[in-house]
Amino acid sequence: MEVSCFGYNSSGLSHVTCHSRTQILHTWHAGHQRRFRNNNNTTKYASISRGRGVSRSCAVVGTEQPGLLFSTGEPAAWDEAGVGHPIVRYYLGDNEQRWFMWYTGKSTACHDIDGIFPSSGSIGLAVSSDGLHWERGHGPISGARGESRSKDVGKVIQPNEDWWTHDTCHVSVSDVQILSNSAVDSPGGVYWCFYAGGDFEQVQVPEGLRVTDACPTEREGLRTRPGLAMSQDGRNFARIEGDHHTGALFDVGEPGEWDALFIGAPQVVAAGPRDMRMYYHSYDEKKKRYVVGVATSPDGFRWEKRGPVFDGAPEGAPDDTFDSMGAASRCVVRDIDTKQYFMFYEGVCRAKKRRSIGLAVSKDGISSWKRCDAPILEASEDDECWDSGSVGTPWAVSMAKGRWRLYYSGSDKAHGSSWNGIGVALSDPEGQVFHGAPVTFTKRVA
């Protein structure tokens, strides 16, 4: 097999010829490639170049505001107008911990889809030695090699420039993990990045999603679909083209189905051999609420929808219930101690248009979700706090001795529907539990 690829050298973008899939994977350190299938169902690759420029790191130390790890970037930064959707992983080395946070951010030039997909724009990477103090980048990653690569941080994925793809308007990260797959020729694990991407199709906004009378009846970027990108270092990503004609892994539902509007925040759990589960949410126009559904796959490339599994408060609950409008972004984890599935989810209140974080538990991760009646994390009651408006997009990290960290996005009342900071709350080892899951969390104070 001989295919055309592109890579970076000291002179910029250069053309190389790769003779095997292994060689293509090796070029990921220098550039971006994308797999797609042509009409003959054969595999080809094409380039996706990253934005060039010097990446400048800024160390973020603790703040006096409870929970806050960092807020929006400085003027002209890639994340100057919004930050949220933290995806946190840590890896243990011989003498250190390495923490990675992929998160979503936007600049003032990004398309505004706040209110439905807060702060969605591009995807960036921050690094840390303890998961509490983070280094971020001002612009795109620089492509550093050697020892300096570990500090190469900044924007890693931006909207696609190919007009026909599903992610030309905005992208938002929803999961990153290291997986091995026989379909990917690599000597070790590969970073799989699952994300939601929206295009510029004008889509009718359901009445239930119009926060005010001034909201437009049609919006670009509302029709999001799930995407996949891969990397060998967690920085240089190659989009993997799915079976849908837009390059998405799969399409939205047919008109009238619960997920016909969009596919939001696709997050994947490897439940067993050939059992990968993608949890995602959409807005069900019939129910007028956010609903979480699941799709399954044997390999991470081919997906089959299994339908809705959870939608927050039971029907008939008062409108001021914290999740009366359903469950949106979520983090599903399988607890190693109880073998149960914990769903930390973003509950949306219909009356207040406010978001809080709730918890549900299931034995099999599909059915019989038991919902905790009260939120486990809420917006601050102090109007001056960074998260006085809403909290959401939870990401739970299991720590030693039964402790948990809950990373989340926050918005203050001045910013309204846009996430303007990322924070963390810590579980209380002596606190209450709900079917084995922690429900007592305190926002960390530096």
Side-chain angles (χ1 to χ4, degrees):
M1 177 180 68
E2 181 175 301
V3 296
S4 294
C5 308
F6 289 83
Y8 278 89
N9 58 25
S10 59
S11 301
L13 189 65
S14 63
H15 180 272
V16 296
T17 300
C18 301
H19 299 275
S20 68
R21 180 178 291 186
T22 301
Q23 187 176 355
I24 291 169
L25 284 168
H26 289 167
T27 65
W28 279 0
H29 290 294
H32 298 287
Q33 287 74 43
R34 175 162 53 85
R35 187 189 76 166
F36 67 93
R37 294 189 179 276
N38 62 13
N39 292 332
N40 296 323
N41 204 37
T42 56
T43 303
K44 293 186 177 180
Y45 290 77
S47 69
I48 290 182
S49 60
R50 64 171 180 259
R52 282 179 286 170
V54 177
S55 173
R56 183 169 62 82
S57 299
C58 50
V60 180
V61 297
T63 72
E64 295 181 357
Q65 295 215 43
L68 182 62
L69 296 175
F70 59 82
S71 57
T72 52
E74 61 187 18
W78 75 274
D79 56 358
E80 63 178 333
V83 292
H85 302 267
I87 307 299
V88 179
R89 302 286 185 184
Y90 73 95
Y91 308 99
L92 300 178
D94 293 335
N95 300 308
E96 63 177 356
Q97 290 185 356
R98 293 184 298 118
W99 291 74
F100 284 36
M101 179 194 291
W102 295 269
Y103 66 99
T104 300
K106 70 172 187 176
S107 69
T108 54
C110 289
H111 191 79
D112 184 7
I113 194 68
D114 287 343
I116 303 174
F117 306 116
S119 302
S120 186
S122 298
I123 298 170
L125 171 68
V127 297
S128 172
S129 60
D130 61 5
L132 301 174
H133 303 84
W134 295 89
E135 292 187 51
R136 306 155 62 191
H138 181 82
I141 58 172
S142 64
R145 300 190 181 189
E147 294 183 2
S148 60
R149 187 175 66 180
S150 64
K151 300 297 183 181
D152 191 9
V153 289
K155 182 168 63 174
V156 297
I157 299 177
Q158 61 190 11
N160 205 328
E161 296 179 358
D162 291 334
W163 64 269
W164 50 271
T165 57
H166 70 104
D167 52 358
T168 54
C169 181
H170 64 98
V171 293
S172 180
V173 66
S174 45
D175 198 359
V176 180
Q177 51 187 298
I178 296 179
L179 298 171
S180 297
N181 190 302
S182 59
V184 179
D185 188 5
S186 176
V190 173
Y191 291 87
W192 294 50
C193 174
F194 295 92
Y195 67 95
D199 59 24
F200 286 100
E201 176 190 359
Q202 287 277 2
V203 177
Q204 187 78 21
V205 181
E207 184 178 354
L209 291 183
R210 300 174 199 165
V211 181
T212 66
D213 293 337
C215 290
T217 58
E218 290 187 344
R219 296 191 73 167
E220 297 175 334
L222 180 55
R223 183 85 74 217
T224 59
R225 298 178 175 91
L228 171 63
M230 288 186 176
S231 170
Q232 284 193 321
D233 61 3
R235 293 172 170 84
N236 298 289
F237 281 93
R239 283 177 166 93
I240 306 300
E241 196 152 324
D243 290 336
H244 190 253
H245 65 82
T246 64
L249 293 175
F250 55 84
D251 197 9
V252 296
E254 296 293 330
E257 293 184 333
W258 74 275
D259 58 353
L261 190 60
F262 61 78
I263 305 294
Q267 184 231 340
V268 172
V269 174
R274 300 182 63 80
D275 183 9
M276 298 181 73
R277 302 176 184 178
M278 178 185 290
Y279 296 88
Y280 65 94
H281 75 277
S282 190
Y283 182 79
D284 188 331
E285 295 188 54
K286 293 180 180 178
K287 289 187 173 183
K288 296 183 178 181
R289 59 166 48 197
Y290 291 99
V291 178
V292 175
V294 69
T296 59
S297 172
D299 56 13
F301 299 109
R302 298 164 295 150
W303 293 90
E304 182 177 353
K305 295 180 181 179
R306 300 297 184 183
V309 296
F310 183 73
D311 61 356
E315 291 189 22
D319 283 351
D320 61 355
T321 305
F322 82 95
D323 55 353
S324 57
M325 198 171 166
S329 297
R330 82 241 62 80
C331 173
V332 178
V333 296
R334 191 179 189 190
D335 181 49
I336 59 175
D337 294 324
T338 66
K339 309 303 181 184
Q340 297 184 108
Y341 290 82
F342 299 165
M343 180 191 295
F344 299 85
Y345 68 93
E346 179 183 302
V348 185
C349 177
R350 189 181 307 277
K352 301 177 182 178
K353 304 298 182 185
R354 200 180 205 188
R355 301 177 185 231
S356 306
I357 296 176
L359 173 72
V361 179
S362 169
K363 291 184 178 180
D364 62 5
I366 300 293
S367 61
S368 302
W369 287 94
K370 298 179 177 64
R371 166 186 166 273
C372 184
D373 291 337
I376 63 172
L377 197 71
E378 296 183 272
S380 173
E381 296 180 356
D382 184 349
D383 290 348
E384 301 300 318
C385 275
W386 70 281
D387 59 353
S388 59
S390 285
V391 294
T393 68
W395 189 263
V397 177
S398 178
M399 306 294 290
K401 298 180 180 180
R403 291 178 169 84
W404 291 78
R405 290 184 183 179
L406 188 63
Y407 293 86
Y408 66 98
S409 306
S411 65
D412 58 29
K413 291 185 177 179
H415 285 79
S417 58
S418 177
W419 299 129
N420 59 276
I422 291 175
V424 67
L426 310 178
S427 68
D428 182 352
E430 305 299 325
Q432 296 181 337
V433 295
F434 176 77
H435 293 277
V439 296
T440 306
F441 285 85
T442 303
K443 296 173 184 178
R444 176 183 176 270
V445 178

